Amino acid sequence: MSRKPVIAGNWKMFKTVPDALTFVQDIRKTAVGTDHIEVVLCPPFTAVTLMSEGLRGSGIYLGAQDVFWEDKGAFTGEVSPVMLKDAGCGYVIIGHSERRQYFGETDEKVNQKVKAVLGHGLTPIMCVGETLDEREAGVTKKVVRIQTTSGLAGLAPEQAAGMVIAYEPVWAIGTGRTASDEDAQEVIAYIRGIIQEQFGAEAAGNVRILYGGSVKPENTTGLMSKSDIDGALVGGASLEVDSFTEIIKRTSETKR
Ligand code: PEP
């Protein structure tokens, strides 16, 4: 089964609107191809609307870094899936480890957000991954099993098939430490097996599962040569046009 690779950039809390628009101008000048690959940029909320205009016709998609599950209401500070869609987003990162760690995001909240986002025709990029303590205690698979099954609870097989899941070992995020190609492949194949058990072979064959955690141009080809790894969620290296486009190019060459 052929799955279109995804390279998503998570800008976290970086870039003002002028910085974001300069990046858009610069990436449009590169010859980075988006035919064989889905490229997604997830800026802070403040830059979404203007980036949506700036990216028009570029083939690059826009995503948000979080969402609330209600459509509207008295929820000060929150942004709804309806608003994200209206602002031009096609993707939403849900359950990033920084949100789990600093903002009390639980598997139940992740599940509510996933359902809300799918309900509005947006694609969730749901993050799962173990901490260093959990890896050292040998419970990586147990942790990703709980996060995956809880996050996807109640979905129809077609909805699970349309998901993007990012396996991001917490100890590899922003640390310069990357999971080995083999370890990343093993956990991602395990996650695909969970999707097969819960939603069937077709969903497992179609769901895109990315690796995230200190992905850089130098480690892209090794990771992307693994059969179950369908792309990457990139933090730090997505902030510079040169490193981000190099990751896109290497992925596209490896996965062709
Ligand atoms: C991330 O923010 O999802 C991430 C993987 O960050 P980095 O690439 O900087 O490790």
Side-chain angles (χ1 to χ4, degrees):
M1 207 159 300
S2 97
R3 297 179 290 270
K4 196 170 190 184
V6 180
I7 295 294
N10 171 20
W11 283 358
K12 312 193 190 206
M13 200 172 71
F14 291 101
K15 293 195 192 290
T16 59
V17 172
D19 292 344
L21 295 179
T22 302
F23 183 102
V24 168
Q25 261 178 11
D26 291 347
I27 201 165
R28 292 194 72 134
K29 286 185 208 140
T30 67
V32 66
T34 52
D35 292 350
H36 306 285
I37 196 157
E38 267 167 51
V39 177
V40 185
L41 286 171
C42 304
F45 287 134
T46 46
V48 164
T49 308
L50 284 174
M51 276 184 67
S52 163
E53 286 173 23
L55 288 171
R56 197 161 294 146
S58 68
I60 297 176
Y61 295 93
L62 195 58
Q65 299 174 20
D66 188 28
V67 65
F68 191 57
W69 52 79
E70 296 288 348
D71 287 358
K72 60 181 172 184
F75 302 105
T76 301
E78 295 296 327
V79 175
S80 79
V82 177
M83 293 166 179
L84 292 180
K85 194 169 174 179
D86 175 56
C89 289
Y91 295 76
V92 187
I93 298 173
I94 298 174
H96 190 280
S97 69
E98 287 151 16
R99 296 217 58 86
R100 293 178 189 261
Q101 189 181 347
Y102 304 125
F103 303 103
E105 191 112 324
T106 60
D107 289 334
E108 291 66 36
K109 289 180 185 168
V110 169
N111 181 239
Q112 279 178 283
K113 292 180 179 190
V114 165
K115 286 179 179 158
V117 160
L118 286 168
H120 287 285
L122 300 165
T123 302
I125 302 176
M126 185 183 84
C127 303
V128 300
E130 80 288 1
T131 62
L132 187 56
D133 285 352
E134 289 164 344
R135 171 155 285 252
E136 285 172 351
V139 294
T140 296
K141 287 184 177 165
K142 190 173 162 201
V143 169
V144 298
R145 172 173 285 276
I146 292 169
Q147 291 174 336
T148 305
T149 51
S150 315
L152 304 184
L155 298 197
E158 316 80 74
Q159 291 179 308
M163 291 283 306
V164 176
I165 298 175
Y167 167 57
E168 300 207 306
V170 179
W171 49 270
I173 297 178
T175 59
R177 287 182 67 188
T178 322
S180 69
D181 306 342
E182 291 70 27
D183 283 351
Q185 159 65 25
E186 186 184 339
V187 179
I188 288 176
Y190 180 74
I191 294 170
R192 200 177 299 287
I194 298 170
I195 306 293
Q196 168 134 7
E197 280 167 31
Q198 312 259 317
F199 299 101
E202 196 168 335
N206 283 304
V207 65
R208 270 101 45 98
I209 312 183
L210 317 183
Y211 168 77
S214 298
V215 172
K216 306 181 259 307
E218 309 86 75
N219 55 29
T220 299
T221 305
L223 287 160
M224 296 308 138
S225 62
K226 296 296 180 191
S227 59
D228 280 291
I229 304 183
D230 300 320
L233 180 55
V234 185
S238 72
L239 292 169
E240 301 298 331
V241 170
D242 286 353
S243 46
F244 192 55
T245 52
E246 198 53 43
I247 289 169
I248 297 166
K249 278 185 201 153
R250 291 185 192 196
T251 301
S252 150
E253 282 157 18
T254 313
K255 291 290 186 193
R256 196 163 286 199

